[in-house]
Amino acid sequence: MRVELSPRFKREYKKLSSEDHERTKKAVELFVKDRNHPSLRFKKIQGFDEKPDIMEISVTMEIRISLQIYPDHYYFRHIGSHKILKKP
């Protein structure tokens, strides 16, 4: 499935270290292959009534990605620390 990045995701991604860039690439590749892989800790973010649901995956214990799943693509909204989960 295709991955689409929001403008905000692109800006936030640029601020990460090169080491975190590599970790993010690996996590995204794994997500596309097997979104239920345990290391991703894939789950719905509670408290938001958007459709499709806003989901999250873990890149590391500190870095999260918020996203939405559409029939033909994944829309990656934000990347960053846990604080992105307040306004995913």
Side-chain angles (χ1 to χ4, degrees):
M1 194 172 329
R2 178 172 63 88
V3 173
E4 184 179 333
L5 307 176
S6 73
R8 179 175 267 175
F9 182 96
K10 291 175 186 176
R11 286 192 308 271
E12 294 166 344
Y13 178 81
K14 285 181 182 179
K15 294 177 184 178
L16 298 176
S17 70
S18 59
E19 190 175 87
D20 287 335
H21 284 179
E22 287 302 314
R23 290 179 177 138
T24 301
K25 288 177 189 175
K26 288 180 183 177
V28 170
E29 288 173 2
L30 181 57
F31 179 77
V32 170
K33 287 181 186 175
D34 178 12
R35 69 182 185 197
N36 292 312
H37 191 280
S39 68
L40 297 172
R41 295 180 293 284
F42 175 61
K43 62 183 175 186
K44 179 181 185 256
I45 298 176
Q46 301 297 316
F48 295 93
D49 292 330
E50 289 193 41
K51 293 295 176 199
D53 291 332
I54 301 174
M55 312 298 284
E56 75 168 284
I57 61 172
S58 297
V59 174
T60 66
M61 292 305 287
E62 294 82 31
I63 299 173
R64 301 286 187 268
I65 294 174
S66 66
L67 65 129
Q68 290 173 291
I69 300 173
Y70 290 89
D72 64 339
H73 70 283
Y74 298 118
Y75 184 69
F76 284 58
R77 299 167 53 105
H78 294 285
I79 184 168
S81 67
H82 280 110
K83 69 182 173 184
I84 69 162
L85 303 179
K86 292 179 183 176
K87 293 185 179 181

